[in-house]
Amino acid sequence: MSENLQEVVAKILKYSEQFVLELKSANTKAQVLDLKAKYVGKDGLVTVIMKGLKSATVEEKREIGKKSNECKDQIEQMSKNALEELEHQEINRTLEENWIDISFRDSIRSKAACTSGYHPVTMIQREVEDIFSSMGFDILDGPYLEDDYHNFEALNIPKDHPARDMQDTFWFKDMTHLLRTHTSTIQVRGMEKYTPPFKFVGPGKVFRCERTDASHEFVFHQIEGMMVDKDISVANLIYFLKILLSEIFKKDVEVRLRPGFFPFVEPGFEMDIKCLICGGKGCAVCKYGGWVELVPCGLVHPNVLKYGKIDTSIYKGFAFGLGLDRLVMMKYAIDDIRLIHAGDLRFISQFASI
Ligand code: FA5
């Protein structure tokens, strides 16, 4: 070797310090890589010293080899750290520049994908309420949890009357309370609230312990209607129901009236609508009969008026109980009632824009 041992070792230490200084001003990965190559690359300053060891003495090899290896390791390690640091900075800069509020974007996306709106039953309920309130009817509410008196007794269905079996009831353990099986309970509550003449409708959920099929749910919706005045006749009842149906369907729909038995009306009727799913040809919804039972109705039984403390020598009344879910099915040609309450947004969101 042309230089002595001390001179070479000093050179190595100088390179080491020089590298540390120069690294401070390397601001990009390329600059770091260039710097690393300058010292420990194929022809780097440290590498050249190591290559020159071939002609060195054993002692020089040991001493210079040790120092140059330490210097090389230090340069490689510091280059690695610097590159990692620059990589981090780059990621942070990218994140900073392309910052996205994920929750904001999600809310936009969900708004676009799933426009909010009312449930079809709520929509039809409000429509029916609007039609009746425009004709002077009040809107009444009633509780889901009812007692035997309001659901049966005051509707002329005494205990042990076979008509109790017409509606399968969810009873509470005390056997005097139940989930109302129909909105006719609101008739009883209406008579407690008003003195005649009066007219009101009462919408809401009802509950029946029964098996479901294409036209039967065990939780569904009805809207009760009741009018009490002097000289009420079946003609008044038909008049209001026809207005209702023509307003809802905005077209002529075929209906038929047939006798129907309900202990709280006399005479009692069933108003059926020609099935709008199959056009009367027969399908699962109309049970292949072509007609769908929609609005049972009739003149209020005198016993019911008496329970309501109404003077039957002066007043008469009519009442009806419209199935709201069936009305939704007819209006929007839905062939299975179970779709309406299945909670499937793909189904429900179709009504959002209506
Ligand atoms: C009644 O509930 C009587 N309270 C209606 C009434 C009121 C009659 C006033 C006379 C005077 P019904 O059980 O038939 O009647 O039910 C009335 C309507 O609710 C039916 O015509 C039908 O449209 C709907 N409905 C009945 N059961 C179900 C069910 N399981 N699922 C969906 N809709 C039903």
Side-chain angles (χ1 to χ4, degrees), residues 97-314:
E97 282 164 7
N98 303 313
W99 183 84
I100 293 169
D101 180 349
I102 295 172
S103 62
F104 178 67
R105 210 173 70 165
D106 267 9
S107 67
I108 290 177
R109 193 187 305 135
S110 47
K111 259 188 211 140
C114 177
T115 317
S116 61
Y118 289 110
H119 189 279
V121 173
T122 307
M123 278 161 52
I124 209 111
Q125 179 183 317
R126 292 189 177 178
E127 225 178 302
V128 176
E129 284 174 7
D130 285 350
I131 293 164
F132 278 103
S133 59
S134 75
M135 296 190 288
F137 283 69
D138 280 354
I139 316 281
L140 277 196
D141 203 2
Y144 296 161
L145 169 58
E146 271 293 8
D147 51 28
D148 186 289
Y149 176 80
H150 288 87
N151 201 84
F152 293 123
E153 196 95 30
L155 288 166
N156 199 32
I157 316 175
K159 288 203 169 55
D160 305 322
H161 192 289
R164 288 197 175 209
D165 297 336
M166 286 167 74
Q167 299 167 357
D168 296 308
T169 309
F170 285 113
W171 286 98
F172 282 73
K173 275 192 184 142
D174 65 5
M175 289 307 282
T176 58
H177 289 90
L178 50 95
L179 290 175
R180 70 178 177 199
T181 57
H182 52 180
T183 46
S184 297
T185 52
I186 301 176
Q187 286 188 38
V188 182
R189 298 199 171 269
M191 289 186 288
E192 288 167 356
K193 179 175 166 132
Y194 297 119
T195 48
F198 59 77
K199 50 186 187 294
F200 60 82
V201 288
K205 255 189 184 79
V206 298
F207 309 83
R208 289 188 196 173
C209 184
E210 61 181 58
R211 196 184 286 266
T212 67
D213 61 27
S215 57
H216 290 83
E217 264 291 7
F218 64 97
V219 179
F220 57 100
H221 300 79
Q222 294 181 335
I223 187 161
E224 197 77 6
M226 186 180 208
M227 178 172 186
V228 173
D229 207 333
K230 293 172 187 163
D231 302 325
I232 290 289
S233 72
V234 175
N236 301 114
L237 169 66
I238 306 294
Y239 169 79
F240 284 111
L241 288 182
K242 277 199 159 168
I243 288 191
L244 170 72
L245 296 179
S246 64
E247 288 285 319
I248 292 284
F249 291 103
K250 309 271 190 275
K251 64 173 183 184
D252 278 341
V253 287
E254 264 187 76
V255 292
R256 71 176 186 190
L257 206 61
R258 60 188 166 89
F261 171 74
F262 299 92
F264 32 96
V265 283
E266 181 56 40
F269 306 99
E270 288 279 6
M271 186 180 267
D272 300 336
I273 183 169
K274 173 80 80 64
C275 183
L276 296 175
I277 307 292
C278 62
K281 289 195 194 82
C283 66
V285 174
C286 61
K287 302 228 160 35
Y288 302 94
W291 294 88
V292 177
E293 185 190 301
L294 195 63
V295 205
C297 52
L299 295 185
V300 182
H301 196 290
N303 287 350
V304 174
L305 294 175
K306 281 179 198 150
Y307 270 109
K309 302 191 173 45
I310 290 171
D311 187 342
T312 52
S313 65
I314 307 173

